[in-house]
Amino acid sequence: MQAPKVGFISLGCPKALVDSERILTQLRTDGYDIVGSYDDADVVVVNTCGFIDSAKAESLDAIGEALDANGRVIVTGCLGAQADDIRAVHPKVLSVTGPQQYEQVVSAVHRHAPPIARPDPFSDLVPARRPGVKLTPRHYAYLKISEGCNHKCSFCIIPSMRGRLVSRPIGEVMQEAEGLVNAGVQELLVISQDTSAYGVDLKYKLDFWGGRPLKTRMVELCRALGDLGIWIRLHYVYPYPHVDSIIPLMADGKILPYLDIPFQHGSPRILKLMKRPAAAENTLERIQAWRDICPELAIRSTFIVGFPGESDDDFERLLDWLRQARLDRVGCFQYSPVDGAAANNLPDPVPEAVKQERWERFMQTQAAISREKLAAKLGQTLEVIVDEIELDTATARSHADAPEIDGQVFVDNLNESDHDALTPGQRVRVRIESTGDYDLRGRLARA
């Protein structure tokens, strides 16, 4: 008898991708085949995103496409927390569950496409361990250290979808990290909703890894991860004072000199309306202090323009902040109302045309900053990690580049022996010969 087949669509952020990997790993353990075609699948699982309206629309479209092509669809993920909205558009879906409800998703698959043999009751009691099914290339992986968030940002509904902060014990996180490294991973990207708050809910409880006592806290986690000897990259960090303790680890080469910090705005008044944590901190001074300790530090961030009540003066303050901060990698979104967000009730919405004009000015300002910062790397020799190798060019990334969201380093003029010697995940040195707005180009540095 053939094993039942499951199609899988994973949408949204890296945190959702880790959820997808966990679900797929369990389904593989239960004897299912994972297929890449609607036609071949006995059932299709769609892991949705519902953070903003455009993501919600994309998720609903994906569900509709799967229904049209296959007809048997199970929905999970962040948008699944709004089951009524999904069923109003797609009443024929078989099941709807919210984020992190792994067991319910697997149970729904069992119900609608029963496995050949009943899973071993003993193995059911053993918690799933990674590495299992990975949706990223072999040489990098996302390491999720916590779920949920304790903040109440007025534009965000993540706490209502994913709940309050729940940190994983540090021993469990380190065991997973070690397993991934043993499986060949060369770069771990640490993710959560709020990496800086790791362990707060557990009161930094003491745990053990390899007989070594460790507190479940951000600094101790970074130190332990730094001992693994691979690239460690931090995402979703808030600029709390204790982050200062991480910067020396970056200066010493223990973890990558890279911070992903969602600053969101530069106007104190708008940050207050957004109810952002650390809004009162002098972030410009903190950034400069970090750079004094670790000059190689690369900072990426995201911002929102057109937030309700944002005046011309607020926007100019944002641009001034951006010019002073000189961040390395920046993304920007035009504010869009999200069902259930407190910001929907704020007065003075910004007209769409004004949002667009501000977004264009913001992106032009940041492009100039990025162009200048990359131009300063001309002639330097950088360590990069290789992602892909083609005929005479390799695509790689420097410490300042997270996969899929930041820039790239193109390694040109590879000869045959270079091509044969390079592998994804390998770290090599590249001399930079040209620069652009976001990417670099160069050649292998010869010994």
Side-chain angles (χ1 to χ4, degrees), residues 136-307:
T136 55
R138 182 174 182 267
H139 62 283
Y140 69 80
Y142 294 101
L143 181 68
K144 185 158 64 169
I145 63 173
S146 65
E147 271 292 358
C149 181
N150 290 344
H151 301 305
K152 296 180 180 178
C153 302
S154 62
F155 56 83
C156 181
I157 59 171
I158 284 177
S160 66
M161 292 190 293
R162 289 186 171 262
R164 290 180 61 78
L165 177 72
V166 179
S167 300
R168 299 174 60 196
I170 193 169
E172 179 184 311
V173 173
M174 288 305 304
Q175 184 175 358
E176 178 180 343
E178 190 174 38
L180 287 165
V181 172
N182 290 339
V185 166
Q186 295 297 315
E187 178 181 8
L188 283 174
L189 299 99
V190 178
I191 59 171
S192 65
Q193 303 296 340
D194 181 356
T195 296
S196 313
Y198 176 64
V200 168
D201 56 310
L202 298 178
K203 298 181 179 179
Y204 309 121
K205 182 179 178 181
L206 190 69
D207 199 12
F208 293 86
W209 170 57
R212 172 181 168 186
L214 294 170
K215 285 189 176 182
T216 301
R217 186 163 52 188
M218 183 188 184
V219 176
E220 282 82 351
L221 176 64
C222 289
R223 289 189 185 125
L225 289 172
D227 290 341
L228 296 176
I230 65 167
W231 277 17
I232 305 297
R233 190 181 298 278
L234 302 180
H235 288 272
Y236 309 107
V237 176
Y238 285 87
Y240 301 141
H242 67 265
V243 175
D244 297 354
S245 302
I246 306 298
I247 309 303
L249 297 177
M250 297 178 175
D252 292 342
K254 299 289 286 183
I255 61 177
L256 289 181
Y258 177 99
L259 282 175
D260 171 14
I261 303 177
F263 289 113
Q264 303 296 11
H265 214 280
S267 163
R269 192 179 75 85
I270 296 301
L271 287 169
K272 187 174 181 180
L273 289 174
M274 289 178 168
K275 297 186 177 178
R276 293 293 290 164
E281 298 288 346
N282 190 327
T283 50
L284 291 173
E285 286 185 7
R286 173 151 279 138
I287 289 169
Q288 185 55 54
W290 291 343
R291 287 172 172 158
D292 289 342
I293 297 169
C294 183
E296 296 300 312
L297 176 64
I299 302 176
R300 92 166 313 276
S301 189
T302 52
F303 293 84
I304 297 173
V305 295
F307 191 79

